[in-house]
Amino acid sequence: MASDSAKRLTIYDLARLAETSPSTVSAVLNGSWKRRRISQKLADKILTLAQSEGYSANMQARALRRERSGIIGMILPLYDNRYFSSIAQHFEAQARKRGLFAIVACTNRDPAQEREAARMMLAYRVECLVSTGATDPDTISLMCEEAGVASLNLDLPGSKAPSIISDNRDGARRLTLAILDRLDANGAAQSDGVLFIGGRGEDHNTRERIEGFIKARAERGLATRDADLLPCDYAADKAQVALEAYMRHRTRLPAAMFVNSTIALEGIVRWLQQSGHQLDEVTVGCFDWDPLAAALYPHLMMARQSVEVMIEQLFAMIDDPAQAPGTLVEVAPELIGI
């Protein structure tokens, strides 16, 4: 732990430790180092020293003294899967590279919590607010516009700010085709039941994935019934209950399942185990990714959303804020286990 004296370090102390000028240290700490043509290597060195030596600036006081606060915010729906935790991790890493302090708040897919988190971040004069998987991104964007703060959407799109999301429709189409190919390779009829389960019917991503699922089946001459589409929410418990209800009207498992997130997959696996079934009885494709699921290969295929690319695109927009509201950038997911 840094000593009390270390916590009172000034930029002059950091400049001495980094063997550079106080103005260079100031530029790195306030995020203007790229405009000053300061190297990434020197910026990283100064930021690392500032952290290790316990240097901290009063962010609110600094915001009052100049136009920029050096703070960037993100609201996030959940921390409970690798996808969202990876988004938070890469977001903070990219912010740090730019000399920005990142604030990330979990809002539990609750519109009221989203608005409250946005209000708090705007009170701290964030320079930009990123809405990730927000239920109502346009309201957040309007709040930011009123405050004169830039806003962006990630994972779920909005019409009032630029958005970076996965290519959900084509990703789901490719994953569904891979599921059907696996059925064919295993000697199962492609016309046997294939169930889409998980996600929220009212959100953009689930709707797009359902469209991709239907399109892939149509390409193989297969019709899709409403009964085979179960957007029952992402929660594991709800996926388990939905599958149990679905199976009450069936004498055997569907030949395959398209599971819309690893959270929902937990509920599916739990139901299979509690019902005396084995995972190898059904072919599963999951639109989400977790490395632990690799142990289930070859019975599980996954669509890994390209978090690194999405965050790179996000910060490219932050660095060059010329995109019009409603601009949509779609990033193709990678298929794993195909």
Side-chain angles (χ1 to χ4, degrees):
M1 181 179 296
S3 67
D4 290 341
S5 60
K7 291 180 181 178
R8 293 192 293 271
L9 284 174
T10 68
I11 61 171
Y12 301 99
D13 298 317
L14 287 175
R16 177 177 51 79
L17 291 170
E19 300 179 331
T20 189
S21 69
S23 64
T24 297
V25 172
S26 178
V28 170
L29 294 178
N30 68 31
S32 63
W33 58 274
K34 283 191 173 182
R35 293 197 298 274
R36 290 272 308 276
R37 299 180 183 273
I38 296 168
S39 71
Q40 178 76 59
K41 182 178 179 180
L42 180 55
D44 288 342
K45 178 180 179 181
I46 291 169
L47 291 171
T48 299
L49 279 169
Q51 184 176 18
S52 65
E53 296 297 323
Y55 177 86
S56 63
N58 184 317
M59 305 301 284
Q60 288 178 297
R62 187 172 71 179
L64 293 173
R65 290 195 299 269
R66 59 188 182 83
E67 285 187 19
R68 300 188 66 220
S69 66
I71 308 172
I72 187 169
M74 172 183 278
I75 62 172
L76 197 72
L78 299 164
Y79 288 123
D80 63 354
N81 74 348
R82 187 171 293 271
Y83 173 60
F84 287 121
S85 61
S86 179
I87 283 176
Q89 180 180 349
H90 283 86
F91 175 74
E92 291 194 44
Q94 288 293 332
R96 199 173 295 118
K97 283 183 178 180
R98 290 161 172 79
L100 297 170
F101 180 75
I103 303 175
V104 179
C106 177
T107 55
N108 298 301
R109 299 192 189 277
D110 182 337
Q113 290 188 39
E114 291 171 1
R115 293 190 295 271
E116 181 60 25
R119 274 193 291 268
M120 291 297 294
M121 290 187 185
L122 291 173
Y124 273 83
R125 300 187 64 178
V126 292
E127 296 180 14
C128 179
L129 179 54
V130 180
S131 297
T132 301
T135 60
D136 187 9
D138 284 349
T139 292
I140 305 302
S141 294
L142 289 172
M143 292 171 64
C144 290
E145 184 179 352
E146 290 175 1
V149 170
S151 66
L152 291 162
N153 302 311
L154 187 68
D155 181 62
L156 283 174
S159 63
K160 306 297 184 185
S163 304
I164 302 96
I165 67 171
S166 290
D167 188 342
N168 292 284
R169 183 177 298 198
D170 192 61
R173 171 186 164 275
R174 292 189 293 121
L175 181 59
T176 304
L177 290 174
I179 291 170
L180 295 174
D181 288 342
R182 183 66 55 82
L183 289 178
D184 187 55
N186 292 340
Q190 291 191 3
S191 57
D192 286 351
V194 180
L195 174 65
F196 181 105
I197 185 167
R200 305 173 71 176
E202 65 271 21
D203 78 30
H204 172 276
N205 291 354
T206 297
R207 292 197 305 270
E208 287 292 289
R209 292 170 194 174
I210 287 174
E211 288 298 321
F213 177 80
I214 293 172
K215 183 177 181 181
R217 289 175 55 79
E219 289 177 21
R220 298 291 173 86
L222 304 172
T224 301
R225 305 175 305 158
D226 288 344
D228 292 328
L229 301 173
L230 294 179
C232 55
D233 209 305
Y234 291 102
D237 289 346
K238 292 184 178 180
Q240 181 178 355
V241 169
L243 180 57
E244 182 177 4
Y246 176 83
M247 288 302 300
R248 290 195 193 109
H249 308 288
R250 296 179 59 92
T251 58
R252 61 175 181 168
L253 290 170
M257 296 186 208
F258 182 118
V259 183
N260 197 18
S261 87
T262 52
I263 305 172
L265 182 62
E266 292 176 24
I268 302 303
V269 172
R270 189 189 308 150
W271 183 88
L272 289 170
Q273 291 175 332
Q274 293 177 359
S275 303
H277 293 285
Q278 302 297 321
L279 187 63
D280 60 8
E281 296 178 51
V282 58
T283 296
V284 176
C286 181
F287 202 105
D288 207 349
W289 176 81
D290 191 295
L292 293 176
L296 301 176
Y297 178 83
H299 307 293
L300 176 65
M301 296 166 282
M302 310 191 92
R304 179 182 184 180
Q305 301 186 74
S306 301
V307 171
E308 296 91 339
V309 177
M310 292 169 70
I311 295 295
E312 286 173 4
Q313 294 280 354
L314 177 77
F315 275 91
M317 287 189 175
I318 292 171
D319 293 340
D320 182 17
Q323 293 75 18
T327 298
L328 181 65
V329 174
E330 294 183 294
V331 177
E334 176 189 5
L335 297 188
I336 306 293
I338 305 305

